[in-house]
Structures are given as structure tokens and as C-alpha cells.
Amino acid sequence: MLFENPQIATTDLPSVEDVNFQRLPPQALKLRTIGWCITQGIMLFILLGLFLFGEIFKKQWPWIFIFSAWFLQAVYFFWMARKRFYREGYAVREKDIIHTKGFWLRTQLTVPYNRVQHVEIEQGPLARAFGLGGISVYTAGDSGGDLSISGIEYKEAERIKQFIAQKVGSDE
Amino acid sequence: MSDTSPPFYFQPSRQSPIAILLILARLIRSLIGQFWPVLLLLLLRKRSANSSQFWVWVGIAITIFSVLRSLVTYFRTHFYIQDDEFILEKGGFTRRRLSVPLDKIQTITFQQTFLHRLFNVVSVEMDTTGAKGSEISLTALDRDKATVLREYLLRWKKENVNATSADQEAATADVAPEVELLKLDLGALFLIGLSQNHLRSAGILFGLLASFAREIQPILGKSAYKYFEEEWGLSFNFFWTFALWIIVFFLIISVIATLALTIVRFYNLRFVQTGEGFRLEAGLLTRREQAAYLPKIQFLRWSANPLQRLWGMYNLRFYQAAGHELRGKQTLQVPGCYPHQITTVQTAYFPASVQEQWDWYRPHRLYFRQRVFMLGLLPLIGLILKTSLDFSWVWLAITLLWLPFTAWWQWKLLLRKEYGLSPDGLWVKSGYFTQSQILLLWANVQGLEVQQSFLEKRHQVADLTFYTASGEVEIESLPLPMVNSLRDYVLAKIEVGVENVEELRS
């Protein structure tokens, strides 16, 4: 195939298959773990509130099942968050950007720059503390084709945005 | 507004005064839509002189408020074109100013409800690409003015878009004569109405009535069935015991209702091929004029259920690029198309599709197994539980037949599923009862996603989703190496396509 699409700052690789995906920085895992703690904490808080003041069951024993269910799902999602984290990656190439993620269902979304409508950078208060941010790449019309990576270094997000903006600009 | 030389659209203009009436009508309709349970309550309960006087005052207050609101909306809505931007100022209490660059306007749709037609005005909707909520709509504009405005916008687009970017639009031919492809008479409409999916509409109707009965329960203070039984002496037990009669009853209602709806919606349908694409005009009470511009058509889909296949009729849909709000409205539907009309549309959208070499592929059997598991085995567990806890012969029969039926159906689906690949696009054939086909040009792909579930990984197959500006097309359970190379190919096609254009310009 007479087509080249080199990955940025690495060797010339024409196929998505051979792309070396950039992993997310380790702080992103910390950030996600904190997020996980917050959601699980809220759940536990609500459950405890119901347990102490709710009077849902006449006896105490059903609560054992409920709390163990909470514990099991917490462990599962903690484990999944780590698994998913190590499977997530992105690659910025000359003509497109790729985002790969998922553990049970692996997905790999590719958006060519000449289909990009606009690019956005986000940074929540927690992410700011870690110097992290997210980038969203929007295409026309449907939301399905939008690509968003969260938990990359904020400076990196800015660099990617600049790069895509320049690419999109040069196409027009 | 004066009638001097510059056209009305270069200075802030108001809509036709009829808009006041139409805004009022819309307001009242939405009020009734929201508060109908209250209105029903007022009509059904026993009246006392005092309270009815109170409600009269409430009614007057609401009316005054609605009239004021319509007036404010009318007088504060202005539109004009300035610096190649269409500007719409609106809002009663909070001012909103929408400005849309003219080259971002995708489609211009005129619509006439019964009221519009009485006063010879149209409502105008302009759909734009990209950003949410940037769609422009005018409630009422004199038909002549609207036509002049549309002509100006189309002319502007033609002159400017072609000159600045050598987009696909450059390929648009010069003004070609309009060709009428299809005109539906009452007989054809009757056939279309008959061939709709009545089981589904009967289900929807049944569901609606059931939810209606539930919703008025708090108002009547007792269940709707009880109310009918006690107040009107009707016994609904009769119906429940003869469930079959209900189904027949709803089927008949559904046939009549769909016939009526089909006629109202598609009355006097004209499907025309124009220089820029296609145009559809249809409707009895509300006459809609929808246009599909060739470069904006993302993909085509046509389908036919067994009855429609018998009559050789297809239901054709254009999926057009559209903003978020108008998404549903931008899929243009032409019922009752015959194969040669499909071919005409197909050739216009994808000229090479007729002669091109197509390589056909089928999904892996995993597609069948996964679906039998999800639709056959999982519900079966529920059915077995239901039958063993609460035995009845009907449920036993359903339980026994469920798995064989799902397996048979999914197997037929697997056999019907075919993916055609060509240098320029994708052709998907699918469906057993309702068979449908999709045609997609690679050039319209906005993004691609490869998906691989846990099971698919073990069998080395994957799914590939093509995102377009108007929905997605998915191909499932194909060998991973093939999916990968197809993705690389389509990416190259999209990315190099523009590169060629660059070369041409420099």
C-alpha cells in the first residue's frame, strides 16, 4: 500500500497494529484510585446511614449480605480499574490519533485529523493537583466518533491540542 | 422594514406577524401536553360553583401570560445576514444571539402545518454542522421571503464554498433539471400503510393505554378499570379473560391508525431528483419539504418486510449530516420505493457501487453463538423460573419453544448477514424478516473503532464500527487481521483523499 503514516517521534509505522501506544502516567492511576475511593466511600456512607437509621429490615442479618456485596464489588472495581489502566493508551500520529482502552471489551478508536471539528482540554480540581488533564477530540455530528483521553499530563494535553489544531488548520 | 433596494435579509427583520399566532398555538399545545392530567381531573370531578370560578381565573391568567409571551417572543426575534454570518437574535427575558457562518449551514427545511398553509407562511429550519444547539429555526416567514432567502443562501454557498475549498461539494453538478422519481397515489399509500409492522404498533398502543390508565389513577382515586366498571358499568374482566380478542382488537385499531398516519404523513408524496441531490415533499396537514444534498448524505439504508418484499416495495432512508438537535429530523424517509428508484439513488450517492467489484464476507459463527446466549439462554433462565413457580400451560409452551425459535431465527440472521467491501465503500446486507441494506462511502467515515470482546479475542475475530456525521455502521465478527487491514485501508483512504486535494490546489 502506498501510504505512510509515521507515529510522531518514533519510527515510520504504517499500520495501527504496530503502533507503540503511549501509556498513561503513573499519577493517573493514583488519581483514579482516589476517584474510586470517593465513589466507594459515598456508597459505603449511604449504606451505613441506612444500616444505622434506616430500619429497612426487621433483623440485622440481611445486612451481612449487603455489606459483603459492597465489599466484593469494591474489590472487583478496584482490580478492574488497575487492569483497565494498564490496558489504556494513546498514539498521536502524523494524520490521526488513536485511543485504546478496555479490559473485557477492548476498543481502539481512531480519528483522522481532517475529520476533527474542534479539540478541548479539561482539568478538574483533583487532576490539577496532580498536574493532569484530559483532551477531547470532537468530530462532526454524532457523539459516537468523539475521542476523549483523561488522565494525561496537562502539558502533554496542551501539546497534542496544539499539534492537532495546527494539522486541522493546515488542511483548510 | 422598507422595500428599498437591499434585500430584507441584510437588515434585522422580523418574522411574519402570523408567527405570534403560531407561537401562541405552540405554547397552548405544550401547556395542554404538560397539564392534561389536571385538565382531565377538572372535567371529570364534580363541580362546585366556588372552585370553578377559581379555575376560570387561573385560565384567564394563563391565557394572558401566553399571549404576552408570544408577543414578546415575536417582537424580540430578529434575523439578518451580516459579514457572511446568519444572525438570529431571540429570547424574551434572556437575550440570545446566535450567529452561524453561512458555510456551516447544511440544510434548509421548510415546513407548513395546517395553520401555516392558511396564511401562506412557512417555518424555516436551518441545520448546521458541529456545535450543539446552533440550529436556527424561524416559526413563520412569508413563503416568498423564505424562498428568496433560501435562494440567496444556496447561491452564496455555491459561489463561496466551491471557490474556497475543493471539498466534495466541488463535484456537485451545475443546475440540472429536476426529475420526478416517485409520486405516491392513494393506492400506494394504502399498501404502505397496510405493510407497516402492526404487531409493534399494536404493542405501542397497548402500552400507551396501559400507562394512561395508570397515570389517571391518582386523579380518579381508583384504578381506571374499576372506574369504568363502577361508573359506566363496563366490565374489563371480559377483555382480560379473552386476551386473544384484545390482540385482534388492537391489531384492527393499529391497522386503521397506521393507515391514517401514513396518509397524513406521506399524502401526495413527491420524491424528486434535483441538481444538488434529492427533495421530498409530503404531508396532508403538515406539508414538509425536505432536501438531501448529495455531499451531506452520509449513508443510505433501504429495507423491506415480507409483505413489502411481496409487493416489491422498499423503505428508503437517507442519513444526513446534522447537528445534535435535528438528528432525528435529518433522516429523510421515502416509503414505497421500487427497485429502480433505489438504483437511481444508489448511483447518485455511490456511482461506482453498480459496476464495482464487491468482495462479500460473512461474520464468524461466534456472532450466532453470542446472540443465542444473550437472547436465548439468559431469558430462558427467567422463563424456567416463572414456569416452575407459577405454572401454566401457556408459559410452559413458551419456555419449551423459546430456545429453538431463537436459535433458528439467529441462524437465519447469520446466514443473511453479509458485508460487501469495495475500494470506495461498504455494503451491508442483513435481516431475516425485515431485510435491509446499507451503503456507505469510505469518504464519509469520521472515525473508526475496533472492538474485541473477551470471547472474540479467543477466536481472533473483532468488530469494526464506522462513525459518520449521522450515526454509525457496524460490521461484526470478522477475522482480526482483516479488520486491521480494513481499518488501515479506510484510514489511508480518508487521509490521502485530502492530500490529493492539497496537491491539486498547489
Side-chain angles (χ1 to χ4, degrees):
Chain A
M1 201 181 297
L2 282 169
F3 174 66
E4 283 175 34
N5 192 357
Q7 188 182 354
I8 296 313
T10 43
T11 44
D12 292 11
L13 298 163
S15 168
V16 177
E17 250 180 300
D18 316 322
V19 164
N20 294 318
F21 283 101
Q22 190 89 40
R23 298 292 155 196
L24 301 186
Q27 302 98 292
L29 184 57
K30 281 186 202 155
L31 181 66
R32 281 187 200 184
T33 313
I34 292 175
W36 172 87
C37 285
I38 292 172
T39 35
Q40 293 298 338
I42 292 172
M43 263 169 86
L44 187 62
F45 189 75
I46 293 171
L47 281 181
L48 278 174
L50 287 174
F51 172 62
L52 293 174
F53 309 108
E55 292 179 16
I56 294 173
F57 303 112
K58 287 195 177 107
K59 297 216 170 75
Q60 296 292 325
W61 61 265
W63 284 105
I64 296 171
F65 291 102
I66 288 172
F67 280 106
S68 39
W70 172 84
F71 181 74
L72 283 178
Q73 66 83 29
V75 171
Y76 174 75
F77 281 110
F78 179 70
W79 175 70
M80 271 315 281
R82 292 183 75 84
K83 284 276 184 199
R84 283 169 62 92
F85 176 79
Y86 290 116
R87 291 290 185 97
E88 187 164 349
Y90 63 94
V92 177
R93 303 199 299 174
E94 181 81 35
K95 292 184 172 67
D96 49 42
I97 178 167
I98 314 171
H99 183 212
T100 179
K101 63 172 191 209
F103 180 73
W104 295 116
L105 180 73
R106 308 235 346 106
T107 65
Q108 223 175 64
L109 176 66
T110 314
V111 175
Y113 299 138
N114 57 22
R115 295 292 191 265
V116 171
Q117 292 274 326
H118 69 282
V119 184
E120 256 175 40
I121 301 185
E122 308 96 19
Q123 193 181 34
L126 250 178
R128 193 171 300 138
F130 285 94
L132 296 176
I135 186 163
S136 295
V137 179
Y138 295 96
T139 59
D142 243 18
S143 54
D146 300 341
L147 182 149
S148 92
I149 313 168
S150 66
I152 55 174
E153 274 171 39
Y154 190 72
K155 279 179 188 154
E156 169 88 347
E158 270 181 335
R159 272 201 299 275
I160 298 174
K161 182 185 168 167
Q162 207 101 63
F163 179 75
I164 297 177
Q166 170 212 328
K167 284 283 171 191
V168 172
S170 71
D171 274 347
E172 278 170 3
Chain B
M1 272 177 283
S2 60
D3 278 290
T4 45
S5 45
F8 69 94
Y9 41 78
F10 284 132
Q11 43 206 292
S13 311
R14 290 209 177 99
Q15 311 175 68
S16 159
I18 307 300
I20 305 175
L21 190 70
L22 291 164
I23 296 167
L24 186 63
R26 199 172 52 200
L27 253 175
I28 289 173
R29 209 165 22 177
S30 76
L31 278 175
I32 290 176
Q34 274 171 27
F35 296 109
W36 65 263
V38 180
L39 291 176
L40 201 71
L41 170 75
L42 289 177
L43 289 175
L44 281 175
R45 70 200 195 106
K46 296 184 178 73
R47 292 165 188 84
S48 69
N50 250 344
S51 72
S52 53
Q53 205 179 10
F54 169 72
W55 285 108
V56 166
W57 283 112
V58 170
I60 290 172
I62 291 175
T63 314
I64 291 175
F65 170 76
S66 311
V67 170
L68 277 179
R69 225 188 122 163
S70 326
L71 284 171
V72 168
T73 312
Y74 169 72
F75 282 107
R76 300 204 72 168
T77 303
H78 295 277
F79 64 91
Y80 51 98
I81 294 168
Q82 193 179 54
D83 301 330
D84 292 341
E85 283 192 334
F86 190 97
I87 291 160
L88 178 69
E89 289 171 347
K90 63 176 181 182
F93 303 106
T94 45
R95 300 285 285 153
R96 285 222 310 158
R97 187 171 183 276
L98 275 174
S99 62
V100 174
L102 291 189
D103 58 323
K104 289 275 189 266
I105 295 176
Q106 296 269 0
T107 51
I108 304 154
T109 310
F110 289 178
Q111 193 179 340
Q112 279 189 303
T113 64
F114 182 68
L115 276 174
H116 280 96
R117 279 206 266 170
L118 269 182
F119 299 103
N120 197 26
V121 291
V122 293
S123 75
V124 182
E125 273 171 4
M126 293 179 203
D127 190 27
T128 57
T129 32
K132 255 182 216 176
S134 62
E135 286 86 12
I136 282 177
S137 77
L138 298 170
T139 314
L141 200 58
D142 290 332
R143 200 176 175 113
D144 305 335
K145 279 190 177 176
T147 318
V148 171
L149 179 64
R150 178 166 69 178
E151 269 166 19
Y152 173 77
L153 290 172
L154 289 179
R155 206 169 53 233
W156 188 94
K157 269 197 95 149
K158 204 156 219 168
E159 285 163 7
N160 292 274
V161 175
N162 281 1
T164 49
S165 84
D167 207 29
Q168 299 158 312
E169 275 148 290
T172 315
D174 290 324
V175 186
E178 292 193 351
V179 186
E180 190 178 272
L181 293 177
L182 178 70
K183 201 175 160 79
L184 292 181
D185 53 15
L186 268 178
L189 276 180
F190 188 73
L191 287 185
I192 294 166
L194 273 186
S195 67
Q196 300 298 311
N197 192 342
H198 293 294
L199 281 176
R200 189 178 54 196
S201 19
I204 292 172
L205 209 63
F206 184 73
L208 272 178
L209 277 187
S211 78
F212 176 83
R214 240 200 332 270
E215 220 169 306
I216 57 173
Q217 189 165 332
I219 300 167
L220 299 172
K222 50 191 147 194
S223 118
Y225 310 116
K226 252 212 172 99
Y227 181 83
F228 281 120
E229 211 175 306
E230 286 172 13
E231 308 277 316
W232 294 2
L234 282 178
S235 166
F236 266 75
N237 279 332
F238 170 77
F239 281 102
W240 292 119
T241 38
F242 296 91
L244 187 71
W245 285 109
I246 293 192
I247 293 167
V248 171
F249 171 73
F250 277 111
L251 266 178
I252 291 169
I253 291 216
S254 147
V255 170
I256 294 169
T258 15
L259 265 180
L261 278 178
T262 311
I263 289 169
V264 166
R265 195 164 160 212
F266 297 115
Y267 177 76
N268 202 5
L269 178 141
R270 272 186 80 225
F271 180 46
V272 182
Q273 183 168 23
T274 62
E276 286 98 8
F278 299 93
R279 200 179 65 235
L280 183 78
E281 301 165 19
L284 181 64
L285 300 174
T286 301
R287 191 143 183 89
R288 266 189 89 91
E289 229 180 277
Q290 282 176 294
Y293 301 104
L294 268 183
K296 302 298 168 215
I297 299 172
Q298 301 294 307
F299 59 94
L300 297 176
R301 181 172 185 271
W302 62 99
S303 60
N305 61 31
L307 210 53
Q308 288 163 340
R309 276 204 298 284
L310 198 70
W311 294 327
M313 277 176 157
Y314 290 87
N315 187 16
L316 173 72
R317 266 173 199 272
F318 294 91
Y319 288 81
Q320 291 202 80
H324 289 259
E325 277 173 31
L326 288 175
R327 249 187 77 198
K329 293 185 196 166
Q330 287 305 318
T331 64
L332 201 144
Q333 190 192 351
V334 192
C337 275
Y338 293 101
H340 64 271
Q341 282 132 6
I342 304 270
T343 317
T344 312
V345 174
Q346 195 185 325
T347 341
Y349 166 73
F350 190 161
S353 71
V354 189
Q355 322 102 18
E356 221 163 49
Q357 273 294 315
W358 290 91
D359 295 324
W360 291 96
Y361 300 91
R362 281 179 199 286
H364 189 271
R365 284 188 188 183
L366 189 65
Y367 174 80
F368 165 75
R369 274 184 247 160
Q370 272 181 326
R371 291 176 143 245
V372 169
F373 179 75
M374 295 301 287
L375 299 169
L377 281 176
L378 289 184
L380 188 66
I381 297 172
L383 282 174
I384 289 174
L385 272 175
K386 162 84 185 152
T387 318
S388 49
L389 291 176
D390 177 19
F391 182 83
S392 81
W393 289 105
V394 180
W395 283 105
L396 182 69
I398 294 176
T399 312
L400 288 176
L401 288 175
W402 184 262
L403 195 60
F405 173 74
T406 344
W408 170 79
W409 184 31
Q410 293 303 322
W411 183 251
K412 289 286 180 194
L413 275 180
L414 175 76
L415 292 182
R416 282 281 317 162
K417 197 112 191 163
E418 279 186 289
Y419 305 118
L421 301 178
S422 85
D424 291 307
L426 172 75
W427 195 332
V428 180
K429 293 181 179 172
S430 60
Y432 180 65
F433 293 113
T434 297
Q435 298 182 357
S436 70
Q437 301 189 34
I438 290 174
L439 205 57
L440 167 73
L441 278 170
W442 297 137
N444 289 325
V445 173
Q446 301 272 334
L448 295 111
E449 191 169 48
V450 176
Q451 291 138 344
Q452 201 179 30
S453 73
F454 195 65
L455 268 174
E456 284 177 320
K457 197 175 173 127
R458 277 176 44 191
H459 290 84
Q460 285 297 303
V461 294
D463 307 336
L464 184 56
T465 307
F466 302 100
Y467 294 104
T468 74
S470 179
E472 61 202 58
V473 180
E474 198 182 11
I475 59 179
E476 289 158 288
S477 299
L478 289 173
L480 185 65
M482 189 184 142
V483 167
N484 276 330
S485 63
L486 178 62
R487 174 197 29 200
D488 291 338
Y489 176 77
V490 175
L491 280 175
K493 196 87 189 170
I494 303 171
E495 290 162 1
V496 162
V498 170
E499 214 79 331
N500 285 340
V501 173
E502 293 266 298
E503 273 171 30
L504 281 176
R505 210 186 307 158
S506 58

